[in-house]
Amino acid sequence: MRNNNKATAAILTTSLLLAACGGGGGDDGGDDVGGTPPPVGSALNAGAGSPTGTEGSCSATTAGVNWDALMTEICPKLSDYNLFVDATDPTAGPTRGGVPYDLSTALFSDYTSKYRFIFVPEGETVSYNASEVLDFPVGTVITKTFALPVNTAMRDGEELVIETRLLIHRTDGWFALPYYWSSDSDATLAIAGKRLTGLTTINNQGQQIAFDYAVPKAADCSSCHSIVPDLAGSGDEREQIFLPIGPKARYLNNDHSYADGTVYNQLQYWSEGELLTGLPLNLQGVEQAPVFNDQVPVDALSANELNDAARAYLDINCAHCHRANLTLPADYAGPAGSSGVQLEYNRIYADSPGKFGVCKEPIAGGKDGYPYDVIPGNPDDSYLLFRMTTLDSRHKMPELARNTAHLEGTRLIRSWIDQLPSASCSPAP
């Protein structure tokens, strides 16, 4: 198994940020945990250089990020884009201009840890959006690296780096590329995907889990990342819209521990570093999703905390498909929006319990013994929970991104269904 040298990576990242901020060891507030804000200016999106070799070539020699190749080429190796100082380690040390981020509640992907970075060209900024994904300018690159820990209770330990996915915002829209770590030294393009068999990890309960892992095909990305026009009776021929999923304000509105020791709210850090524009001055007015991960004790959550955590979990894991007509462009919906289950975080449960599956007969699929998507007080007979736990390809949800059940996540949703307000579901015909 591959073992990342995270200590070295952290040092690289620290020196990188200091260089980007125009100094080294000066009075930058880096030792004040949660205190002094980071330096403002163009630090966060400092120019990552321009190719000095053949323009648009994957083999160009660059002084920083190979923007030309990112905007025009499908390169065979991840290192061709020069996104990381140490090309063998995509978990830390981004090339100058790269900013790490994390999400307060994240999409489950077979217990892997995720390492996320955003690169924005010099002089460009990200625009704030209250409900939808932030508005990233053309030229933006989002990287996400998946690594499977030996033990999920010790995510700083040994891990197997599996893949790095790129979302590239080109002039004609977002473009997705998967790279598989075929060796310790580099990741190679996996347009047709990749399947790894017999992987194992130990979860927080000490149970060993064995499963196969699938690196998605490039073509699979649109199945989760697209919203589509509602064509019902309209004759509308508009094209689908490809969007990132995770970097919404509500999931970035939490503290992040930066490599220089600074702990700071991510949105505020981006704003004060002149990377993000339009952020409200009062962060209290910015929607904030709760922190939920495998270490959160579900049984210790209050009723309100449980409801909030469950809505965030369903939103980040399901609502990229199960959504419609709430904050989307007019007449657009997620690919599964027409199923009637619509699980956006900012949808109010009390206004429409049926949108959350309560007493709603399954439209897609269905299985004997599960008459409704959600039966309050009865998680064992709720089709939604069954779909989250089964590995049967006909029923499992999400359809992609998992080949094992998320024990901690399903425990959360089980508890949420169990405490939902009572509702008398009419007997199914």
Side-chain angles (χ1 to χ4, degrees):
M1 300 184 85
R2 187 178 294 108
N3 189 9
N4 287 325
N5 188 342
K6 291 183 179 176
T8 301
I11 293 171
L12 284 170
T13 304
T14 302
S15 61
L16 237 174
L17 288 175
L18 289 172
C21 294
D27 186 17
D28 62 355
D31 294 330
D32 271 335
V33 177
T36 307
V40 294
S42 57
L44 298 186
N45 62 341
S50 302
T52 56
T54 305
E55 282 207 1
S57 171
C58 294
S59 59
T61 301
T62 65
V65 172
N66 190 349
W67 293 109
D68 284 341
L70 283 163
M71 294 302 106
T72 61
E73 305 291 340
I74 300 176
C75 293
K77 298 182 297 181
L78 180 65
S79 61
D80 291 329
Y81 299 119
N82 201 32
L83 292 164
F84 299 95
V85 174
D86 178 357
T88 70
D89 185 5
T91 69
T95 299
R96 185 177 180 182
V99 183
Y101 74 97
D102 58 24
L103 305 177
S104 54
T105 298
L107 176 72
F108 173 73
S109 302
D110 288 339
Y111 283 103
T112 53
S113 297
K114 318 279 185 59
Y115 300 91
R116 304 171 177 87
F117 298 90
I118 287 177
F119 299 80
V120 175
E122 183 176 10
E124 299 291 340
T125 56
V126 180
S127 296
Y128 173 77
N129 188 306
S131 299
E132 289 299 324
V133 69
L134 300 179
D135 185 8
F136 294 97
V138 170
T140 298
V141 181
I142 301 176
T143 74
K144 183 164 64 171
T145 295
F146 297 70
L148 182 66
V150 171
N151 190 321
T152 65
M154 297 180 288
R155 290 187 179 267
D156 289 335
E158 186 179 357
E159 60 186 5
L160 175 69
V161 178
I162 301 174
E163 59 166 319
T164 298
R165 301 179 193 174
L166 304 185
L167 283 183
I168 308 169
H169 195 184
R170 294 180 171 175
T171 55
D172 55 351
W174 287 94
F175 193 74
L177 290 175
Y179 286 84
Y180 164 64
W181 281 86
S182 52
S183 72
D184 288 349
S185 60
D186 211 342
T188 55
L189 184 64
I191 287 290
K194 184 78 176 179
R195 190 167 189 86
L196 287 72
T197 59
L199 298 187
T200 62
T201 189
I202 297 172
N203 68 12
N204 285 331
Q205 289 69 44
Q207 302 168 327
Q208 186 175 66
I209 302 170
F211 56 94
D212 295 345
Y213 183 94
V215 177
K217 302 174 184 177
D220 288 339
C221 298
S222 62
S223 64
C224 292
H225 282 274
S226 295
I227 58 172
V228 297
D230 181 0
L231 303 180
S234 68
D236 197 337
E237 296 182 357
R238 290 173 296 168
E239 295 182 355
Q240 64 184 21
I241 299 173
F242 189 104
L243 293 172
I245 294 173
K248 297 181 174 72
R250 58 179 169 270
Y251 295 113
L252 295 167
N253 188 14
N254 68 313
D255 287 347
H256 179 81
S257 298
Y258 293 92
D260 62 355
T262 301
V263 177
Y264 212 69
N265 179 281
Q266 293 181 104
L267 292 177
Q268 193 170 358
Y269 188 84
W270 290 18
S271 177
E272 293 178 6
E274 297 186 359
L275 175 63
L276 176 66
T277 61
L279 180 69
L281 293 177
N282 184 2
L283 275 180
Q284 297 298 317
V286 178
E287 192 172 54
Q288 184 177 40
V291 172
F292 181 79
N293 52 47
D294 294 348
Q295 285 72 45
V296 173
V298 172
D299 294 342
L301 298 178
S302 68
N304 286 338
E305 290 170 337
L306 178 64
N307 180 63
D308 202 23
R311 289 193 306 113
Y313 188 87
L314 291 171
D315 178 61
I316 199 70
N317 282 277
C318 311
H320 45 274
C321 287
H322 287 276
R323 59 189 310 215
N325 301 325
L326 190 61
T327 58
L328 291 177
D331 300 324
Y332 270 83
S338 60
S339 71
V341 177
Q342 296 164 8
L343 300 169
E344 302 95 324
Y345 180 75
N346 35 17
R347 187 177 292 281
I348 300 173
Y349 175 88
D351 289 349
S352 51
K355 298 290 187 184
F356 292 83
V358 172
C359 298
K360 191 194 78 63
E361 295 177 27
I363 292 176
K367 181 176 173 60
D368 290 343
Y370 300 92
Y372 301 102
D373 287 315
V374 172
I375 304 174
N378 189 353
D380 288 327
D381 292 338
S382 295
Y383 187 48
L384 183 148
L385 184 63
F386 170 75
R387 302 194 83 175
M388 292 176 59
T389 57
T390 185
L391 299 181
D392 183 339
S393 59
R394 181 174 178 270
H395 297 284
K396 77 168 182 175
M397 283 288 168
E399 295 175 327
L400 302 175
R402 77 169 183 90
N403 291 283
T404 187
H406 186 199
L407 179 63
E408 295 80 5
T410 54
R411 178 178 295 162
L412 171 69
I413 301 306
R414 171 181 289 278
S415 298
W416 173 71
I417 294 175
D418 200 42
Q419 60 82 51
L420 283 176
S422 297
S424 177
C425 299
S426 302

